Amino acid sequence: TMRTPYVAFMDGVTMGGGAGISAHGHFRIATENTLFAMPECGLGLFTDVGATHFLTHLIRYELGLFMALTGARIRGRDLTEIGIATHFVPSF
């Protein structure tokens, strides 16, 4: 277990491995430019960054299951509302 907190800035396309690294952060910051997805899930591939865990435990189970089965893409403000991002900051 990592005791040092880390901040994940999700500004722009955050997919696949970038989504997995960001989702496990202590502080997850999204902007209006953020596009978050696990596209390999929609292709039927196994994710290797813990996505099956965080998609069903970090957010509401039904929404995480939908994202895992379809590879749905979620924008910045919505990430904060559903619980993947902890903070929303407008980019400059």
Side-chain angles (χ1 to χ4, degrees):
T1 304
M2 183 175 165
R3 293 183 181 203
T4 305
Y6 73 92
V7 179
F9 286 94
M10 300 180 283
D11 185 32
V13 178
T14 308
M15 295 186 179
I21 291 171
S22 300
H24 296 291
H26 295 95
F27 302 100
R28 301 172 302 274
I29 301 171
T31 70
E32 70 274 2
N33 299 326
T34 305
L35 180 62
F36 184 94
M38 295 300 295
E40 60 270 26
C41 293
L43 298 171
L45 299 175
F46 180 76
T47 60
D48 60 351
V49 291
T52 53
H53 177 76
F54 73 75
L55 285 177
T56 57
H57 289 82
L58 191 60
I59 60 177
R60 199 176 77 230
Y61 180 79
E62 296 83 8
L63 182 58
L65 184 63
F66 172 77
M67 289 180 68
L69 292 175
T70 64
R73 297 175 179 183
I74 309 292
R75 293 266 174 202
R77 179 71 71 181
D78 297 331
L79 286 173
T80 309
E81 292 176 10
I82 65 174
I84 292 178
T86 57
H87 299 82
F88 179 85
V89 176
S91 63
F92 297 100

